[in-house]
Amino acid sequence: METTEDIVADECLDPEKVKLELIAKYPTKVARKRAKQIIINKIGETGDVPEIQSNVRTTPGLIGQRGCCYAGCKGVVLGPTRDIVNITHGPIGCGYYSWLTRRNQTDPDSSPGTSSDGHNFMPYCFSTDMQEEQIIFGGEKKLKQAIQEAYDIFKPKAIGVFATCPVGLIGDDVHSVCKEMKEKLNINVFGFSCEGYKGVSQSAGHHIANNGVFTHVVGTDDSVREGEFKINLLGEYNIGGDAFEIERIFEKCGITLVSTFSGNSTVEGFANAHTADVNLIMCHRSINYVAEMMEKKYGIPWIKVNFISAESTAKSLRKIAAYFENSKLTERVEAVIAEEMPAVEKARNAIYPRTKGKRVMLFVGGSRAHHYQDLFKELGMITLSAGYEFGHRDDYEGRKVLPDIKVDADSRNIQELEVHPDPDNFRPRKGSEEIERLKKQGVVFSEYDGMMPDMPNNTLIIDDLSQYETDQLIEIYKPDMFCAGIKEKYAIQKHGIPMKQLHSYDYGGPYAGFAGAINFYHDIDRMVNSRIWSYMKAPWQKNPELMATYAWE
Ligand code: CFM
């Protein structure tokens, strides 16, 4: 079977040449900047990879894939929690377009460890609908009214308020309004200064959301839930029902899920997350802050996991068992893997001959461009190029580069919370000797190696890919499948290339865990082997280009 090396040995696909081609038409300054964000992967003998510039502003004029700070805070991190009324303080457009149509799912009767109260506010869109009047005279009064109205109608346990760009520009103090309403209503009301323009992408919003949830919610309920092997799952957002599949597997293994941040979650779950024995991180980019802060404040260690792909799921379950060092758990985990894998293998073996050697590119968010490569590997597909929209250097190169990352003004804008051990609740889950012993046994703590060490040499790693570069890449490589988001979807399809959304799964999924892997194999098989794409003719292929001259010429 062809490998990446074979493919790029073709002179036209030489990554050095492709890189030059991608930036050839840019003005010198832009080309220089993009050259630092388009990297040809080379893994050194010690596992080191080249430096990639990331988490910097998108060049104005380039059409990028990114979202805003508000999107990262309200949409991504807080959005999937079903029992918080999330109010967008701003003009209606921000609320309307962040309405959770991207298929975070929830089950009001069975969020982990929570009483079933039937609360589910996710299908609603709450906004203060600011008008010119509020922009000129201030919107705090309208915000107070909105909080009161939401409380009167829904009687929620908590209300979150999210600031949009104009709120930051006119200076409404959402935090003091929330404080006042919290005292008045006697429920948790908290605000987020997540104005869209903050930072360089939605990544800033993740950090702000993490700070807010950690400050206002985590640790507010000390009740300890029954069950053995208590874990939190961080950075899993229940897209397309992924969390349901992961919860099914945990339950089968006898692992107690205290809380998920934040797929299929509730505010109660966050409140006693500090009672878990270990934190598992799925999406490192969006939530590593919470894991770090919980370790400092409560003594809970964290381990990186991935439940995308059957092999990765099995590996992650074994990591959990290794952490707890309990023979009963180890046996159960092995039994579950043995029970689940035959169906996975059966589906894979049937599909593999049709998908092996197909070429794929993934440009998604801050973690999926890495995680989904494992699923494509199981299908024998080759990842030629990948990149994040807004990942940081540690998501590409691994956390070992953290000390070398220069903090720029945009990042300094986002508050770093100072966290200390909690006098009542700090309890190191493992002693230092135990940790050392576990490390020797191969348990890796507080580490994420990033995407690049996992990718073959000579693959193109591209940060913050632009639409222009997308078109170029497709023309040059003619991949069999391109993975990105809704904004990119139709332009890619017009090239006659199947495009898989990995943000909302195009209404497919779940893709996590064992059952999810099977779903994914089937969906990808259908897409890469459909002949429909070869019949595609883009409008510009059917009709000649329109030419015009200026009237004065
Ligand atoms: Fe994490 Fe996410 Fe992602 Fe993300 Fe996102 Fe998302 Fe994503 Mo869309 S938190 S970084 S900000 S895994 S919304 S659930 S799919 S870009 S790769």
Side-chain angles (χ1 to χ4, degrees), residues 135 162 165 191 203 241 408-409 454 472 475 503 521 533:
I135 301 291
F162 300 85
C165 297
S203 172
D408 63 8
D454 244 5
Q472 296 299 308
E475 287 295 323
H503 301 260
Y521 303 158
W533 302 105

Side-chain angles (χ1 to χ4, degrees), residues 477-545:
Y477 283 106
K478 309 224 170 7
D480 297 293
M481 151 98 26
F482 200 102
C483 301
I486 188 68
K487 298 200 293 290
E488 296 79 49
K489 181 173 174 175
Y490 300 101
I492 291 164
Q493 288 182 338
K494 283 177 189 167
H495 284 279
I497 305 284
M499 141 83 206
K500 180 72 193 159
Q501 276 202 79
L502 288 185
H503 301 260
S504 76
Y505 300 164
D506 280 319
Y507 307 96
Y511 293 143
F514 301 109
I518 299 172
N519 284 339
F520 192 78
Y521 303 158
H522 286 297
D523 285 358
I524 297 303
D525 179 29
R526 269 197 294 271
M527 291 179 82
V528 294
N529 290 307
S530 164
R531 281 176 39 216
I532 191 90
W533 302 105
S534 61
Y535 300 127
M536 282 294 298
K537 279 268 170 291
W540 60 86
Q541 291 168 311
K542 278 194 240 157
N543 298 309
E545 201 177 338

Side-chain angles (χ1 to χ4, degrees), residues 144 148 178-187:
K144 259 182 238 174
Q148 183 69 53
C178 287
K179 199 163 161 243
E180 189 187 323
M181 294 309 281
K182 181 179 178 174
E183 277 156 25
K184 184 175 174 204
L185 303 174
N186 207 17
I187 60 161

Side-chain angles (χ1 to χ4, degrees), residues 76 102 202 206 237 239 283 286 364-368 389-390 502-503:
V76 176
R102 65 166 189 163
Q202 54 266 61
H206 302 148
Y237 300 95
I239 308 295
C283 167
S286 62
V364 203
S367 78
R368 293 175 182 223
E389 286 169 39
F390 51 77
L502 288 185
H503 301 260

Side-chain angles (χ1 to χ4, degrees), residues 418-490:
E418 221 183 279
V419 179
H420 302 288
D422 184 290
D424 304 320
N425 281 313
F426 180 77
R427 182 170 59 82
R429 302 312 199 256
K430 300 266 180 194
S432 48
E433 274 174 27
E434 244 178 320
I435 293 269
E436 283 314 311
R437 187 168 43 77
L438 283 171
K439 278 186 186 164
K440 282 201 193 102
Q441 291 167 11
V443 182
V444 182
F445 290 98
S446 313
E447 200 46 270
Y448 173 45
D449 292 334
M451 172 163 82
M452 288 164 77
D454 244 5
M455 290 186 67
N457 282 337
N458 287 318
T459 37
L460 268 184
I461 317 288
I462 308 178
D463 181 60
D464 190 16
L465 185 81
S466 72
Q467 183 58 50
Y468 168 74
E469 291 156 14
T470 306
D471 292 336
Q472 296 299 308
L473 278 181
I474 290 175
E475 287 295 323
I476 298 167
Y477 283 106
K478 309 224 170 7
D480 297 293
M481 151 98 26
F482 200 102
C483 301
I486 188 68
K487 298 200 293 290
E488 296 79 49
K489 181 173 174 175
Y490 300 101

